[in-house]
């Protein structure tokens, strides 16, 4: 059947949370899960090769590549029945080889897969808690073995084969770590799990016997042949701060972000582990991978390097972008590259270097290609002038892709979610509909600039006209038409009753077609602003429409599972979807091809005219519903986007036109927008760099001339010395050859005599030894028969004893494991309460340590700057040494050629000497043979005696076994007693906790009472102060009135009248009585307040004493840390002096000291060695200065303690003094 066909050319996206989701096929070829299948990607050439999933696939859950990288195993969910398929990767397009299924197994999806080392077996593990481990002979589609694996709860599960053994399988999960051995159709467990069960998240084989496991509590456990060999707990890692970000505002924001992160991840979790030749890599915290290498010390593996995810500069929250969970780690075949995948659909790579070459412990990943969408894609559009497409997503980002070069050209993240995007035909502008506004964006060279904003909220659809002079915007159920030049609202198209879901322009931009959720499809005339035709079907909610080139036929899809062909205001054809909902539709410019996207992520290609039969080609690509679809203007490519965050670019083939449609040579525009300010900045930067280059060239030319002059003189001197040495060696060589010939004649005479003697002795020994061996062999065979019979009898007895012992132990183990689980729950509750109290104490301690840490950091920064300056000077010297070494190497090569001739002559001499020595060794070997034969006779006699002793030991072993069984019973009784004591201790701890709670409540009540009393006394004091002020004002007035009365001393009448007025004003009898009563009350209150203040003083003094003790302990800790820091500083100084001494030795070896003065006079000031920074005082002077600094710090801390004590004692004394006044 001839028809349309499409093939995926490029895929932009990655599927998260896939077991083994990333792996290398070659050094530059990476395979990862994408959409509903897998993608092969070449890192250098950028070609993509998509491996589609099965029909109705909902995405890959797990994948595995065979060790020879020829086969790929995939576990995916397709409808109700899961699928386990194996693909062959040798061909250009991967071919499905086998699909595995078994009738007896439950229909559960495999969450982890692994190939055996020879690629014959495939192991699959289903999800816990009722998990199952299956082993397949996949080429025969035969289930080799199956075992149930019960877990403590839900969680990740991983399976893997021993890299050297086809029959050994390891599986880990929540509460179990098990090793199985495959033999004769069964999987038998090899190890017995000891200790408390842990939630193992991942594991990796380091060698034939070693397995490294990671837990959800950040613990690394190394097992050797199933037994725990080494453990290490990793801490939760915070991202390193760069010096550029250490401002106060950024510091506060960083602290807030880290606090949020700590709340989400209170404990480190080792989410991924991968092994390589030097050790292994693991991820204990979000955004970081630690590299461990093997050591010969007690710690088997040691951390060498931290590799962090980079901050996304295009993101609105760059710090959060670097805190992604790493789900998978893999290494390239040469181990030169490491690739990781994250839970946010991103892929990162890191080029591996030797830890000896890397000085810095912290490194950073880079994007494997470019950042990808991490959420559902809501908008997609293409333009005519350029081979680009625009996408927007619920991850709040807008991206511009190039589908010719398979690259990301622009990317920017915004504060709001983006719902729709439309590209201008020129490719220089785009419209983006956000939740708050519609924005007109200019696409610059390296950025997106918002040029204009429109007040249209939650715009779900927008589109530029084909000419680019207009654009349509959906605002609810109204379509608004704007001018792209003046940004004026030209017309509003009203008539829809439901939300408008799609709009399409005609080719001449005179018509617009739209559809809504109430089943209406309208055709609008933009010249009049009115409807030309309509087609309404209320039972269908339309989701997408498309137009033919002449705008006569409309294709629409919706909720009724049909594709509708509409023309002349009526539905002409309805094509059924066969049990699937169509979500999008697109028509080729030629009108012969129709493409439809489904809710299951499939793409269907149909011929036009449409038929009612199932006449289409279906391609399973996406793992979610297809949201947007469009065809390029030249009908060469189909672009699709989906809810899984992937963008697919399909190559369109038309079989009716005779194979592949020939590509028309389309010339694309290369113009780019750029801001004037950006051009000015870049031109200024270029000028500055050109000036720097000129200066460096002049400096380097001058230095090279000086070095050439120096090296030429040195070469001449070396040539003269080497010629003299060669002449002397030639004379020595002639003398040695003459001596060699003399010695050769002597050795030949001696050898002939020794050979005759040896032949006679050998004949005699052979005759004697043959007679003795025959007698001993007969005795040995008789003893061997007896020993075999004895061994068989004892093995039967031991086997019976072991079976009875294993049964008894298993019953006891089950009984005590139940008890331990119940008690572990109670202990965990108590531990959680204790952790909360410890966290509260740690917060108070942090506040005390922060002041000391600031001073220490200042000192640290000073010494680090000095170290950097000295390192730079060392690097300059090393560069000069490298140039000199190259010259010396060229000279040494010439000398080596001459020395080779001399060495060849020596080798000939050594060969002759070796022949003589070998003959001597042969003589010694014959003597040792005689001795060895006598020793073997003695050893056989000893062996017979040992067999007798073993028989006696086996009899004794019976009694030992019976004795051990009794001891085990006693140990079980003692453990029961220990459990009872632990119960009592737990109850006592709970009682103490209740006491502490009650005491804390009582203390809080006392504090509140004391605070209320203090407030009351403060109010009374305030009232007394006001009364005092009033009395003082009265006294002042009285004095003034008295002064006025004094004037009338001579006139007695006026004097009497004035005194009466004063009496009437200031003297009242009831006031006097009240004043006396108030004085009595004041005295009583004064006594009560005095007693109350004395009690408060006693309480405050006790508190001050406690605070002094706490401060003293804190002070001692700070002093210890200070001493350790000073020691580290002294060690750094000593290392600096050693480094300078080594540099000086290198200079003297190369005889650079002679020309040092001349170079210093001629070289620029920037290259002078920083000598004063390295100067150091005598060790006695340094120790005196350190002691003085420590004494000053001790005095400063004592003064602070005294001030705190005074401040605490002041409140009581102040209140007492106020009352007394």
């Amino acid at each position: 059947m001839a028809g349309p066909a499409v093939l995926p050319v490029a895929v932009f996206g990655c599927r998260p949370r896939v077991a083994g989701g990333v792996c290398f096929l070659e050094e530059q070829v990476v395979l990862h899960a994408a959409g509903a299948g897998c993608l092969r990607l070449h890192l250098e050439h950028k070609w993509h090769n998509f491996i589609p999933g099965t029909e109705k696939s909902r995405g890959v859950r797990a994948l595995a590549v065979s060790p020879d990288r020829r086969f790929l195993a995939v576990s995916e969910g397709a409808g109700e029945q899961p699928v386990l398929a194996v693909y062959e990767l040798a061909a250009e397009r991967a071919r499905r080889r086998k699909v595995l299924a078994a009738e007896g197994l439950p229909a559960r999806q495999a969450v982890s897969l692994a190939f055996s080392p020879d690629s014959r077996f495939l192991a699959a593990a289903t999800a816990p808690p009722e998990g199952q481990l299956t082993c397949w002979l996949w080429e025969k589609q035969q289930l080799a073995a199956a075992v149930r694996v019960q877990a403590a709860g839900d969680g990740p599960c991983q399976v893997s084969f021993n890299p050297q053994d086809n029959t050994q399988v390891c599986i880990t999960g929540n509460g179990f770590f098990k090793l199985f051995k495959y033999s004769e159709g069964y999987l038998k467990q090899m190890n017995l799990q000891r200790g408390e069960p842990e939630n193992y998240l991942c594991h990796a084989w380091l060698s034939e016997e070693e397995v490294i496991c990671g837990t959800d509590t950040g613990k690394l456990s190394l097992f050797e042949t199933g037994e725990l060999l080494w453990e290490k707990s990793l801490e939760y890692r915070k991202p390193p701060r760069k010096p550029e970000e250490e401002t106060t505002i950024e510091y506060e924001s960083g602290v807030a972000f880290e606090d949020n992160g700590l709340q989400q991840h209170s404990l480190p979790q080792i989410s991924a582990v991968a092994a390589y030749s030097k050790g292994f890599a693991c991820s204990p915290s979000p955004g970081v991978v630690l590299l461990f290498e093997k050591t010969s010390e007690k710690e088997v593996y040691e951390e060498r390097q931290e590799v962090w995810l980079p901050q996304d500069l295009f993101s609105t929250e760059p710090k959060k972008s670097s805190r992604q969970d790493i789900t998978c780690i893999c290494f390239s075949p040469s181990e030169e590259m490491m690739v990781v995948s994250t839970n946010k659909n991103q892929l990162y790579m890191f080029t591996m270097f030797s830890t000896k070459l890397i000085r810095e412990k912290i490194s950073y990943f880079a994007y494997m290609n470019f950042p990808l969408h991490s959420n559902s894609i809501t908008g997609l559009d293409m333009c005519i002038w350029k081979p680009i497409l625009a996408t927007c997503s619920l991850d709040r980002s807008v991206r511009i892709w190039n589908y010719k070069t398979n690259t990301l050209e622009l990317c920017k993240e915004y504060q709001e979610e983006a719902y729709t995007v439309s590209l201008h035909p020129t490719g220089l502008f785009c419209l983006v509909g956000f939740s708050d506004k519609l924005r007109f964006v200019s696409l610059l060279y390296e950025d997106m600039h918002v040029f204009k904003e429109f007040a249209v909220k939650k715009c779900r659809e927008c589109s530029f006209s084909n000419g680019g002079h207009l654009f349509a915007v959906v605002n609810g159920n109204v379509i608004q038409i704007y001018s792209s030049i003046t940004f004026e609202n030209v017309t509003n198209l009203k008539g829809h009753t439901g939300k408008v879901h799609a709009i399409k322009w005609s080719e001449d931009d005179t018509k617009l077609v739209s559809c809504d959720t109430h089943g209406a499809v309208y055709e609008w005339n933009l010249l009049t602003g009115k409807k030309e035709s309509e087609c309404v079907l209320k039972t269908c909610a339309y989701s997408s429409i498309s137009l033919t080139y002449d705008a006569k036929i409309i294709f629409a899809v919706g909720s009724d599972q049909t594709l509708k062909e509409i023309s002349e205001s009526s539905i002409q054809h309805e094509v059924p979807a066969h049990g699937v909902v169509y979500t999008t539709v697109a028509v080729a410019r030629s009108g012969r091809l129709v493409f439809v996207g489904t809710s299951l992520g499939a793409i269907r290609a149909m011929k036009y005219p449409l038929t009612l039969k199932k006449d289409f080609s279906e391609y399973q690509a996406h793992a979610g519903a297809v949201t947007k679809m469009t065809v390029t203007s030249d009908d060469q490519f189909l672009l699709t986007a989906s809810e899984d965050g992937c963008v697919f670019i399909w190559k369109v083939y038309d079989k009716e036109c005779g194979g592949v449609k020939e590509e028309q040579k389309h010339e694309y525009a290369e113009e780019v927008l750029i801001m004037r300010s950006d051009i000015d900045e870049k031109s200024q930067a270029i000028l500055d760099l050109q000036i720097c280059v000129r200066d460096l060239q002049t400096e380097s030319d001058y230095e090279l001339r000086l070095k050439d002059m120096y090296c030429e003189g040195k070469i001449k001197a070396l040539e003269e010395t080497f010629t003299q040495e060669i002449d002397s060696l030639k004379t020595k060589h002639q003398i040695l050859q003459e001596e060699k010939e003399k010695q050769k004649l002597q050795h030949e005479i001696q050898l002939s005599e020794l050979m005759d003697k040896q032949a006679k002795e050998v004949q005699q020994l052979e005759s004697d030894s043959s007679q003795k061996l025959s007698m001993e062999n007969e005795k040995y065979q008789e003893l061997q028969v007896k020993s075999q019979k004895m061994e068989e009898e004892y093995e039967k007895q031991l086997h019976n004893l072991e079976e009875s012992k294993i049964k008894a132990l298993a019953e006891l183990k089950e009984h005590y494991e139940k008890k331990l689980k119940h008690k572990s729950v109670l202990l965990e509750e108590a531990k959680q309460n204790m952790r909360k109290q410890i966290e509260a104490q740690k917060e108070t301690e942090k506040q005390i340590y922060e002041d000391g840490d600031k001073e220490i950091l200042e000192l640290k920064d000073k010494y680090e700057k000095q170290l950097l300056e000295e390192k730079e000077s060392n690097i300059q010297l090393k560069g000069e040494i490298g140039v000199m070494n190259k010259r010396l190497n060229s000279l040494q090569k010439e000398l080596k050629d001459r020395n080779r001739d001399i060495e060849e002559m020596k080798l000939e001499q050594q060969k002759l000497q070796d022949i003589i020595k070998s003959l001597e060794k042969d003589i010694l070997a014959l003597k040792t043979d005689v001795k060895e034969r006598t020793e073997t006779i003695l050893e056989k006699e000893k062996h017979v005696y040992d067999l007798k002793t073993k028989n006696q030991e086996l009899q004794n072993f019976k009694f030992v076994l019976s004795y051990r069984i009794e001891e085990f019973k006693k140990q079980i009784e003692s453990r029961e007693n220990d459990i009872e004591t632990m119960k009592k201790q737990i109850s006592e701890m709970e009682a103490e906790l209740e006491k502490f709670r009650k005491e804390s409540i009582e203390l809080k009540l006392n504090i509140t009472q004391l605070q209320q009393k203090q407030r009351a006394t403060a109010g009374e004091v305030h009232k007394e102060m006001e009364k005092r002020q009033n009395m003082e004002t009265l006294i002042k007035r009285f004095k003034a009135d008295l002064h006025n009365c004094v004037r009338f001393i001579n006139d007695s009448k006026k004097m009497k009248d004035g005194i009466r007025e004063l009496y009437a004003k200031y003297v009242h009898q009831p006031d006097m009585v009240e004043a006396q009563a108030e004085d009595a009350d004041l005295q009583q209150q004064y006594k009560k307040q005095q007693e109350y203040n004395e009690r408060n003083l006693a309480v405050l003094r006790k508190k001050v004493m406690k605070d002094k003790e706490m401060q003293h302990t804190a002070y001692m800790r700070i002093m210890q840390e200070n001493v350790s820091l000073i020691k580290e500083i002294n060690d750094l100084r000593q290392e600096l002096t050693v480094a300078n001494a080594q540099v000086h030795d290198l200079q003297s070896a190369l005889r650079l000291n002679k020309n040092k003065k001349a170079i210093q006079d001629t070289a620029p000031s920037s290259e002078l060695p920083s000598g004063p920074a390295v100067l150091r005082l005598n060790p006695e002077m340094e120790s005196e200065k350190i002691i003085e600094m420590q004494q000053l710090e001790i005095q400063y801390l004592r003064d602070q303690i005294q001030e705190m004590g005074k401040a605490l004692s002041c409140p009581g004394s102040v209140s007492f003094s106020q009352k007394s006044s």
Side-chain angles (χ1 to χ4, degrees), residues 382-384 422-430 440 464 467-469 484:
M382 45 74 68
C383 71
I384 300 168
S422 179
L423 268 176
H424 195 269
T426 60
L428 301 175
F429 310 99
C430 73
F440 189 93
F464 276 103
H469 61 292
S484 300

Side-chain angles (χ1 to χ4, degrees), residues 1194-1205:
I1194 291 160
Q1195 287 179 358
Y1196 175 70
L1197 290 166
R1198 282 176 179 168
D1199 293 336
Q1200 283 185 344
I1201 291 160
Q1202 288 176 359
E1203 286 174 2
M1204 291 291 285

